[in-house]
Amino acid sequence: MRRITEEVMTEREKMLAGELYDPNCEELQTARTRAHDLCTRYNALAESDKERAELLKELLPGLGEDGYIQGPFYCDYGFNIRAGARFFANFHFTVLDCAEVNIGDDVMCGPNVSLYTALHPLDHKQRNYRRRESGELYDLEYAKPVTIGKNCWLAGGVTVLPGVTIGEGCVIGAGSVVTRDIPAHALAVGNPCRVIKML
């Protein structure tokens, strides 16, 4: 008789696979707390403090050479963010990195740019909080990756939603909400963000 085994995925594995997962499990809570604490420490330091660079390396092991984040900076985990060489982000850069966030070389982000991978179910019966036997509340969410090609500029106040890919060489106008993929070498603006010309 053949033995059938079913591999059980961890909540972190479900998260990275784009499946519904419990973000309040111990592993993910611990990882988020660590990242939030590192962000708080980074944001509290003076720009001239050499410890900032070390904290940023610890928080973002996938940050490329000469990458710099002005701060304040906020992220959920840090370990799901890959940013290429010479990446720059201005004030108030926020990344909900529940799925992978891949950013190419020479990408610039203006102030108040947000990259979101986290999603909640549309059906309130799946979305609402529930209670464990222990009495603790939890919910379920899922995530889709965000990709930004090399040589892009995201102007101030741009929001990129889950599952979006922005092709290389794009310029995304200030205040845009990017809800769908943008082809390479496009100037795109608006809410929802639309291509207005090719560069």
Side-chain angles (χ1 to χ4, degrees):
M1 188 174 206
R2 226 170 72 190
R3 192 172 172 182
I4 299 173
T5 59
E6 186 177 311
E7 190 176 321
V8 178
M9 295 174 78
T10 66
E11 297 303 314
R12 181 172 171 172
E13 289 169 336
K14 290 179 192 174
M15 176 179 81
L16 293 173
E19 297 181 13
L20 279 176
Y21 70 96
D22 174 4
N24 300 301
C25 74
E26 186 177 351
E27 178 188 16
L28 294 178
Q29 277 187 335
T30 300
R32 270 196 319 277
T33 298
R34 175 189 173 276
H36 294 172
D37 288 349
L38 287 169
C39 285
T40 299
R41 288 168 55 198
Y42 182 80
N43 296 335
L45 291 173
E47 285 185 51
S48 57
D49 195 317
K50 290 183 172 39
E51 187 186 352
R52 273 183 120 222
E54 293 306 311
L55 280 174
L56 198 56
K57 281 183 197 170
E58 187 177 348
L59 179 60
L60 300 178
L63 182 62
E65 186 178 3
D66 297 319
Y68 182 73
I69 297 176
Q70 182 75 46
F73 167 58
Y74 309 96
C75 69
D76 274 338
Y77 299 102
F79 53 70
N80 288 328
I81 301 170
R82 310 273 177 281
R86 298 167 302 280
F87 170 72
F88 172 79
N90 212 315
F91 300 112
H92 296 282
F93 183 51
T94 300
V95 184
L96 302 185
D97 61 317
C98 304
E100 288 187 358
V101 174
N102 291 296
I103 302 169
D105 294 342
D106 299 298
V107 169
M108 298 174 60
C109 294
N112 300 305
V113 166
S114 298
L115 311 179
Y116 300 151
T117 67
L119 289 157
H120 298 278
L122 296 179
D123 181 348
H124 73 276
K125 292 182 218 95
Q126 281 189 310
R127 182 178 62 243
N128 288 352
Y129 278 93
R130 50 205 79 197
R131 196 171 297 281
R132 299 186 206 285
E133 287 182 21
S134 65
E136 180 185 43
L137 288 173
Y138 74 101
D139 67 327
L140 297 175
E141 61 184 47
Y142 64 106
K144 292 183 179 178
V146 165
T147 302
I148 299 169
K150 64 184 180 180
N151 300 313
C152 287
W153 170 29
L154 280 61
V158 168
T159 300
V160 180
L161 296 187
V164 166
T165 295
I166 297 174
E168 68 175 82
C170 285
V171 175
I172 308 297
S176 295
V177 178
V178 189
T179 62
R180 59 181 169 242
D181 292 354
I182 304 294
H185 308 292
L187 171 61
V189 301
N191 180 7
C193 189
R194 289 178 298 209
V195 174
I196 58 170
K197 74 174 187 176
M198 301 308 291
L199 301 172

